[in-house]
Amino acid sequence: MKLLFTFVVALLFGMATLQAATPLEQLPKQIYSGEWRAGHVQGIAVDTKREHIYFSFTTMLVKMDMQGNVVGTVTGLLGHLGCIEFNDADGRIYGSLEYKDDSIGRGILQQEKSDRKFDTAFYVAIFDVDKIVRPNMSAEKDGIMTSVYLPTVVEDFKAKVECDGKSLEHRFGCSGFDGITFGPKFGKSDGKFYLTVAYGIYGDASRNDNDYQVLLQYDASDWAKYEQPLSQDNMHQSGPAKPAGRYFVYTGNRNWGVQNMEYDKERNFWLLATYETKKDNFAGFSLIAVDGNIAPKKQSLKGVDYWKKGDVLTISGRGMVDPNHHSIHGWHFSNSSTGIHSLGGNYFYISHPKKNKPYQSCTAKLYKFVAKERYPFEEVK
């Protein structure tokens, strides 16, 4: 197993090629999460140095070794824990955490049999994974988790705007945020890595200002000054006043926006994994690659009357083309919306969720990124 992770770490840091490293067949082809009485899997992340994999199941975090043995779990969350990412720089897990009064928020409280009510709040949850050593550890009481408040997301969620002669709630259709990952500034392939988050977007086909995916970048290297333990009885508002950058990707509306986001260092691509669209005039690609080699372009935003111009990112030419919008390319690959993690060297673990009511499970399967026109990945058998 030590040789195995020497291979994976080498991939991550570009220290070896596949041919010169430990044979690929030593990588776990599948890792099963086990069944959990929780919401469906929202994201996966891998710590190759310590040989652990993490699964987000909406209200709990599961830590396992790479053979599928449970090391510990974090429970007690009454918000929506979504996409997660392991940060190599500090050895912690970062995840999106939402509290809001909508169908998702109410569904979580019903699932957890809670009559609590929360003010709208959006946090980056940060888990000290070395402290996760047993099942059913408390996110609030066991000193495992801190959180950073994102007021920009809250402001867009609460905003009322005028567009197409109509008064609308939720600027850009913002429902909060879900996708989260680390990568360089858009338009660069090196330098400082930024924490990047992607909005959830309500799937409303009756409005025209929700056809962009909205991405925010933060310099999280100094976030110690904001981090606080999260008390669900007294929600804090400690966080950066604004992001280092706000960016837009014209994809057409996707129901609930970017569910998972992952940075692909090999191509300097940002992979956006989504659900379906409710708009017939857009192709329903569930995986789109943003080309991080192309600098953002200051442009007017289509259908957005109330925002002068935005920094618009370029979708790569990989995949199929949307027949109505030739700048949009992508693939139909739905599994990535519930979890995707880059191992480097073109290899990924991708979530395969399963429901066995009232239980949820996930199998993380190993794939190679091939980026062909009809399909992005090939499963490693």
Side-chain angles (χ1 to χ4, degrees):
M1 186 53 103
K2 185 175 180 181
L3 287 175
L4 159 63
F5 280 92
T6 299
F7 166 68
V8 178
V9 172
L11 288 178
L12 280 167
F13 293 98
M15 296 161 53
T17 64
L18 180 61
Q19 291 77 14
T22 303
L24 177 62
E25 57 266 20
Q26 291 191 26
L27 280 168
K29 304 295 192 303
Q30 299 185 8
I31 305 171
Y32 178 58
S33 70
E35 290 188 325
W36 301 97
R37 195 161 186 152
H40 75 78
V41 65
Q42 302 282 345
I44 59 176
V46 180
D47 174 1
T48 55
K49 182 178 180 180
R50 298 173 180 83
E51 304 185 9
H52 291 126
I53 186 169
Y54 299 85
F55 298 87
S56 163
F57 280 98
T58 308
T59 56
M60 68 183 299
L61 183 73
V62 177
K63 175 182 179 180
M64 310 184 81
D65 64 26
M66 298 299 283
Q67 291 75 42
N69 300 305
V70 177
V71 176
T73 63
V74 182
T75 58
L77 292 172
L78 295 175
H80 177 282
L81 180 65
C83 180
I84 55 176
E85 179 74 352
F86 183 78
N87 183 14
D88 291 301
D90 64 11
R92 298 190 293 177
I93 287 285
Y94 288 64
S96 58
L97 182 60
E98 300 182 320
Y99 292 85
K100 56 186 179 178
D101 183 18
D102 66 0
S103 60
I104 290 180
R106 291 188 293 272
I108 288 171
L109 293 176
Q110 183 178 10
Q111 170 195 299
E112 299 298 314
K113 297 180 172 57
S114 173
D115 58 1
R116 299 277 292 276
K117 292 185 181 297
F118 294 102
D119 292 333
T120 297
F122 301 115
Y123 297 95
V124 174
I126 306 172
F127 296 90
D128 186 342
V129 294
D130 290 339
K131 295 180 180 178
I132 304 175
V133 295
R134 65 179 186 276
N136 295 316
M137 299 188 75
S138 170
E140 292 183 277
K141 300 176 182 178
D142 283 328
I144 299 167
M145 191 188 89
T146 56
S147 55
V148 174
Y149 184 75
L150 298 186
T152 299
V153 186
V154 176
E155 290 163 8
D156 282 347
F157 177 85
K158 290 184 173 181
K160 294 185 178 180
V161 296
E162 295 293 326
C163 192
D164 292 334
K166 295 182 291 187
S167 179
L168 302 171
E169 294 187 338
H170 314 298
R171 187 182 292 131
F172 311 118
C174 174
S175 72
F177 81 105
D178 208 336
I180 188 169
T181 193
F182 285 89
K185 270 284 188 183
F186 291 112
K188 296 185 177 181
S189 59
D190 55 11
K192 178 183 288 188
F193 269 32
Y194 289 78
L195 176 68
T196 306
V197 305
Y199 279 12
I201 305 288
Y202 285 117
D204 185 348
S206 68
R207 60 193 292 178
N208 296 313
D209 65 332
N210 61 355
D211 288 327
Y212 287 88
Q213 305 306 323
V214 183
L215 279 55
L216 308 180
Q217 286 199 317
Y218 292 90
D219 180 359
S221 62
D222 64 348
W223 270 16
K225 63 187 177 185
Y226 300 124
E227 289 184 43
Q228 292 190 21
L230 182 65
S231 168
Q232 293 176 129
D233 291 324
N234 185 21
M235 309 282 273
H236 75 81
Q237 296 185 3
S238 175
K242 61 181 181 180
R246 182 199 292 262
Y247 305 91
F248 299 87
V249 187
Y250 188 68
T251 64
N253 180 252
R254 296 293 189 273
N255 196 27
W256 300 115
V258 177
Q259 292 294 295
N260 266 251
M261 179 167 55
E262 187 71 354
Y263 176 61
D264 172 27
K265 185 176 181 180
E266 305 305 312
R267 295 173 175 83
N268 197 23
F269 280 0
W270 298 74
L271 298 175
L272 311 183
T274 71
Y275 292 149
E276 73 286 350
T277 179
K278 293 183 177 179
K279 293 188 175 182
D280 294 336
N281 60 324
F282 286 97
F285 302 135
S286 54
L287 186 68
I288 287 173
V290 172
D291 193 337
N293 298 295
I294 302 175
K297 300 173 183 177
K298 189 72 72 174
Q299 296 177 351
S300 297
L301 301 181
K302 301 174 185 178
V304 186
D305 297 345
Y306 49 80
W307 202 262
K308 290 184 179 179
K309 288 188 176 181
D311 289 322
V312 178
L313 303 176
T314 300
I315 296 173
S316 87
R318 303 292 183 93
M320 295 176 285
V321 62
D322 185 327
N324 296 319
H325 306 273
H326 292 174
S327 65
I328 302 174
H329 292 71
W331 301 274
H332 299 288
F333 192 81
S334 60
N335 283 321
S336 55
S337 64
T338 58
I340 179 171
H341 181 93
S342 172
L343 296 165
N346 297 325
Y347 290 90
F348 290 74
Y349 277 121
I350 295 176
S351 164
H352 284 248
K354 185 176 181 180
K355 182 177 182 179
N356 181 22
K357 195 174 181 179
Y359 299 100
Q360 300 278 353
S361 64
C362 172
T363 300
K365 295 186 179 182
L366 184 66
Y367 282 83
K368 184 176 181 179
F369 190 39
V370 294
K372 294 186 178 180
E373 181 182 3
R374 291 286 172 181
Y375 54 95
F377 295 101
E378 291 179 344
E379 185 176 353
V380 178
K381 298 292 187 179

